[in-house]
Amino acid sequence: MATAMENLKSVRQEAIQKLIENGLLSSTRVYVGMSTCEIAAGSREIWDTFQEEIKENKITDIQLKQKGCAGRCNLEPTVEVLQAGKVPFKYINVDTAKVKEIIKKHILENSARSEERTPELKTDPFMLTDRSKFVFGNVDFFKKQKRITLRNCGIIDPESMEDYLSVRGYEALAKVLTGYTPGQVIEEVTKSGLRGRGGGGFYTGLKWKLVADENETEKYVICNADEGDPGAFMDRSALEGDPHIVLEGMIIAGYAVGAKKGFVYIRAEYPLAIVRLKKAIKDAKAYGFLGKNILGTGYDFDVELVLGAGAFVCGEETALIHSIEGGRGTPTTKPPYPSVHGLWGKPTLINNVETFANIGVIILDGYESFASIGTSDSKGTKVFALAGKVNNTGLIEVPMGITLREIIYDIGGGIKDGKKFKAVLTGGPSGGCIPEEFLDRTVDYDSLNALGSIMGSGGMIVLDEDDCMIDVARYFLEFTQNESCGKCTPCREGTKRMLEILTRITSGEGEQSDIEKLERLANLIKKTSLCGLGQSAPNPVLTTMRYFKNEYDAHVKYKKCPAAVCKGIISSPCQHACFLGGSGAPSYIGLIAREKIDEAVEILYRENPLPVICGRVCHHPCESKCRRGDIDRPIAIRELKRFLTDYAMENKLGLKAGAITKRDEKVAVIGSGPAGLACAHDLAMSGYKVTVFEKLPVAGGMLAVAIPQYRLPKSLLAFEIDNLKKLGIEIKLNTEIGKNIKLEDLRKDFKAIFIAAGAHKGLKLKIPGEDSKGVIDAVDLLREINLGRKPDIGQSAAVIGGGNAAIDAVRTINRLGKKAVLLYRRTKSEMPAWEEEVDEAIAEGIDIQFLVAPVKVITEKGRVSRLECIRMELGDVDRSGRRKPVPVEGSGFTIDIDTLVPAISQEPDIGQLISGEAARHLKLSKWNTIEVDGETLYCGTEGIFAGGDVVLGPKTVTEAMSHGMIAAEMIDKYIKGEPLVRHYSVTKPAMDVPLMEMSEEEIESLQRFEMPMLDVKDRINNFIETELGFSMAAAVCEAKHCLRCDKEEKE
Amino acid sequence: MNGAVTINVNNKEYNVESGQTIMQALDKIGFYIPRLCYHPKLSVEGACRICIVELEGARNYVTSCTTKVAEGMKIKTNTADLRKARRDLLELLLDNHPVDCNTCERDGNCELQAIARSIGIKKRHFTGEKKKYDIDLSSPSLSRDPNKCILCGRCVRLCSEIQGVNAINYANRGFNSVVMTAFNSPINSSVCINCGQCINVCPTAALSEKYYTVELFKELSDDKKLKIVQVAPAVRAAIGEAFGLPAGTNMEKQLVAALRKLGFDLVFDTQFSADLTIMEEGYEFLDRLTNKGVLPMITSCSPAWIKYAEQFHPEILPNISTCKSPMSMQSSVIKTYYAQKRGIDPKDILSVAIMPCTAKKYEAEREELALDGNKLTDIVVTTREIAWMIKSAGIDLTKTEPEEFDNMFGFSSGAATIFGVTGGVMEAALRTAYELYMGESIIDIEFNDIRGFKGIKEATVKMGEKEVKVAVAHGIGNANEILGIVKKDPSRYHFIEIMSCPGGCINGGGQPYAGSEYVALDEELLKKRASVLYGLDRAKTIRRSHENPEIQRIYKEFFERPLGPKSHKILHTHYSKKYPQGIYRK
């Protein structure tokens, strides 16, 4: 009698013969991705178009085949074209036009454009069946993957038994039936170290043994294909791409544990997977791999499909069993475990799809080979559905022990749109959010558990800075709350209360006690729920509370949603992102759209003490959170603001009347930068007499001496400051506190003092030779030029840095007619400077060299003569979320310069400000900043407050202004004898401006206006303002395509 | 499984029997762990999680109702963390509960309330949205208020496991989980058989009888009507419990006095018509036995059983005795014979029945029982309702001087008394049937084979040459089982007694709540209640229905003979197949 293996071999021979008859040897073969994801991306149409085109062009000797999903979600639909003896092609994001082009150019004219070869294809001679080498070619996405269970996905036609047989299909089964006792099979699986891939991680071999040891004639095998996590699609893709591999695993399992009947419990929402499984079962029966007398060995095994109605809890094994039995899908307490008392009370083996898919590999390649992959306690590979904010979303299979960072950055290609990574959520709604600091932890059962998350069945969602962690936690809790079966008290009632609390917090109605309640409930539910669903439901909340406590505090205490997501708190993201709080952007944009410019001006001037300045130099965090930016590009909010100030100046609007009630108390403000001016403005509006002391001969601080005129013309700064003076603010120039007047003396005359002295001292590069002649810091250089002096700049300068000061310096030097190069140690996308500034610099012909760092200054006759540099490359991501520059060994080079301008950062130049008596009261940090109470800016000394760069270090104009405004509020309270407490409230629109009556299409069709710019050739040798401003028509049109989030109803 | 294991509870070691759960072991040791969904007569659900204990080595708390003891287990029952967890779990239930204790029917005998007190809930932390459902008042027997339901599922399991009716089950998920009927139809349109057993196991007022106390107080103020009340046997065996007396206290005569104080003109005993039932039913049985009628004959006293048979087993309807129940027979003779005799219009009579049973309220509404279009029993109230009414009227039953029932329908035999307990109807019937068939008295009139609380009881009575085989089932689950036996072997029995409630009427859906000493369905409690009835029987000189002189008089004066044309019209009824929601009409 022939053995099972001999039987298989003859069956396989016939199958390959059949493949050849069906065109396997055609000179052209076209594979079209036909999984649910590919079909959703449009591959059905691609398929039809190919058929039509082939018919129309009467192409013979071509074979059109379907394939499953290779996991490249963001590249679908994909099409492969293979031709005998030629380089295989893989086309991505194919549409019908592309199909026609492929037929015409590639197949008929034989002139495929080589640049269209995606790098996934390696040159490989004609291959019969093994396409894996080029499908999983040498691209980053596949480099760190190890595809075992998915080895056939995207390669074979999932509906073809012949295809499966040609890739050693059912060989493991034949091997087992030829020479293994059931005990030997279990031993093989046990030694492999395989653990359950459904999430629990129970040792598979042990589970099999428990079932095998039960002394019952009737036993069952169940394949759990009830995948239900949001964002998870591993099982679906696997079953759609290669159903036989799962069936083969089940049949082997049945043999090992002594079962004759198997069930696949699959959710009815997976129609394509069901169709393919049904076909696979039918074919397997026809080929003798299923049913009676399998491969002539006398072993009987049958498989039946059971369709689940889509309850998440039915992924829990006892609930799943009740569902198959026809009951309500609710879990029951374990023990008894299904291995003892399972389906219809009989011993039952339940494994997940992926677990079964591993069995064939273990049998074919031997347990040693399998166990050589992975970590000591987690062997083999794991499939993940990589989703969220990574560039390469898709289905991946990685060896256990890979780090999260490798998955996200090497396979996933990093975060989309250069945004900052925030967290990765593993295990779906039962898992947890893992922050950046743990990205180097390995992916295995135990290490993920230790982080408060779980491996789960393989959902992996990457979150970036635009995701609110509380909103994420709320989303997942809402899911588990809805999917709770309702049987046990903690899961049914507790998750509801948690959801209510989270909803309160995300609506800005949270209280401090809510956080404690949340934690109390989470621990209760975890410790007392009946089944895994409840026990793990609080995980997303617990991990976000553990790793993102600051976001909870931000929502509850400060009514801030840092990601600008939570509608109830933010009103509109642009307004919420503004440091000035009530900037009123959506309101004045809405008014501009309605051509009510005067009203728009009124709103802007009411909310912003320095609108002209902000309209020109604000770093506009509003735009980075603008929802329109998710569609195409954000609204040009800064440009619109500037338009309003231009209009106001032209029409003499926006002039303030000043305070109605005057107060006798006097307040001193030290420093006339944005913090000082904003504080003085607000205090003056409250009726106080304010005197501003300025060390420099001009008012405006950094606005006057650091920002070049071509960005902020002096006349406009003066105009804005003059307006402040009209409110009664006195500005004393050339008056340095500590030198001209002692701080102590100020305290005698003034009720309160606000120190806003800025950060005017450049930081050292800390390289040899830095103290030589010809080295001048960017802020010093800019100050000198702004004050009309002539700093010592030679003929050829190098500016070091990537921030706005560096760009300002290099553009300024360029305008002076000198040669200037900018050296930056990272790449353009990591530059902290505004993108538009960098682009303008490039447009002006500035030479920017990226990935270069200075090493040493070489001098000649005491002056800088050369700069020794080294090339850098980007390594791993650092705490700032950017990739760290690492020196490339042996890449050193020198450049000839006579001037070196470090522009890396600044610190406060405290000078004599804090001396004598004052030194006893004011404390300095190690960064030379003044230490204050973070909320009230109070220095802890009677009447003295501090804010702006002198507290924060070098930051932005609006951050400094916001400090000034807070200080004004606190000083007012201080003088009135009220407690120094800030009250926080959610962001609300400045005004209820009705929506324009426009269709969605109309709004969508509009595009962002570009700021009209002074021609580059007109910028040489002068400091004329480069931005020309919006015309009325442009402004109105720009305002019209705002999505008006402030009018969006709360969910 | 038998054997002993040593477990450590709160740092002390105890030897306990193996194979039992931690809860069972702790109960015996003397640690009472609070519990809600657990009920000793029902399957273990493990849903409420209140009975958690700390088990050394376990990742989470374990429910003591589901976890079996094992050698060396270290258990803590009362740590501060555990108390906090229990407290929070219970608060979660209260947070989704009306907590309207002042106006709630179960104030004072509510398990949820009692546990909240014992656990010591002082502050509330998690209040939020509460469920909101309509109260289902469609049934004449019971009302359902899902707002008060804590989803312990005892009613669901009882209806399925004990009664086999499955009228209610869980629907929806998570916070929206609710116990409902099939298709959420009003319970009166469902397959519910009105037995009210669910009420007895409900820890809150989510299920309760439909109250007729307001109507009854109103009727009692109507001086124009002759207000007649009848009291079922089981009522006297249990009503004392509602007044704080120990279970097993006979309150027959005090109850009579209290009812008079409440305003009833005449207090009759349903036991009189129990004797009447035996006459009719006994003759009917003998008739079937000797004239090759449909056998086995099945008793018809239990209205929930009748509804069950009409819905689920219409094929058995010909086997069911056509006799009305004692309550309906009593009301029939009140509104015919008695009215005639007193010369008053039956419409001027208020006929009230005090029953241990919620299904009797339904029975009173059955149209086929009406006589000439008139309702026989005007109002049915349960033991619980009348106990409340007595209290509410300021009458202390425990201090009431005993009084006798009124004449005519106040006298009964011992056979009638034991109608209230499972096997009682059969025993009463046999006492009479034997004598009628054999023409001689039986020596031992106590049929011990059919006493007690075994689910199905069988006995064979030799009547001369004839071996009469009888069976008794109580609880619909057991009834269903017996029907299965009959289906397989139609000649196995001649006569079957079926009572819907486990234990018979003494455990009816309208009896006082089990209180703190017992749980519902507790056999000890049932035994005590049964002992009252058996005691009364034993104390009587007339213990056979046909010997009751009042019975003999009514046949002489009115019915002429059992199964005669008059009794056929007044004392017998008929049944028909019913199609509530969920039953397919062919």
Side-chain angles (χ1 to χ4, degrees), chain A residues 25-37:
Chain A
L25 302 177
S26 309
S27 57
T28 302
R29 283 182 293 144
V30 176
Y31 287 81
V32 180
M34 292 293 273
S35 54
T36 296
C37 45

Side-chain angles (χ1 to χ4, degrees), chain A residues 309-312 328 333 481-490 492-494 496-497 500 504 517 520-521 524 526-530 535, chain B residues 45-49 52 59-61 66 84-85 87-89 92-93 95-96 125-129 150-151 170-175 177:
Chain A
F312 181 62
R328 182 173 158 87
T333 330
Q481 203 266 138
N482 280 330
E483 292 293 340
S484 160
C485 79
K487 183 174 177 177
C488 76
T489 309
R492 178 185 70 236
E493 310 286 344
K496 171 75 176 178
R497 300 300 165 223
E500 283 174 347
R504 273 209 295 278
K517 287 178 189 174
R520 184 168 175 170
L521 281 170
L524 178 77
K526 215 173 155 67
K527 283 201 90 170
T528 65
S529 288
L530 196 161
Q535 286 161 14
Chain B
E45 184 89 343
C48 75
R49 318 303 287 173
I52 44 172
R59 191 166 42 129
N60 297 324
Y61 294 132
T66 59
K84 188 170 156 193
R87 201 214 74 88
D88 286 356
L89 284 169
L92 286 175
L93 290 173
D95 287 333
N96 198 8
H125 302 82
F126 313 123
T127 46
E129 187 191 328
I150 56 164
L151 294 156
Y170 301 99
N172 303 335
R173 284 187 205 154
F175 189 75
S177 296

Side-chain angles (χ1 to χ4, degrees), chain A residues 19-29 61 63 84 126 128:
Chain A
L19 282 174
I20 292 169
E21 280 165 24
N22 287 340
L24 181 68
L25 302 177
S26 309
S27 57
T28 302
R29 283 182 293 144
D61 200 19
Q63 192 193 18
F126 178 69
L128 254 179

Side-chain angles (χ1 to χ4, degrees), chain A residues 932-980:
Chain A
V932 296
D933 175 79
E935 278 187 57
T936 61
L937 305 181
Y938 190 53
C939 293
T941 302
E942 284 298 289
I944 301 185
F945 296 78
D949 284 1
V950 81
V951 166
L952 296 166
K955 286 278 151 90
T956 61
V957 171
T958 42
E959 272 166 286
M961 285 170 66
S962 80
H963 262 193
M965 292 157 87
I966 294 164
E969 189 192 332
M970 290 300 115
I971 287 170
D972 182 45
K973 282 183 190 256
Y974 172 78
I975 291 173
K976 287 178 180 161
E978 292 169 12
L980 293 186

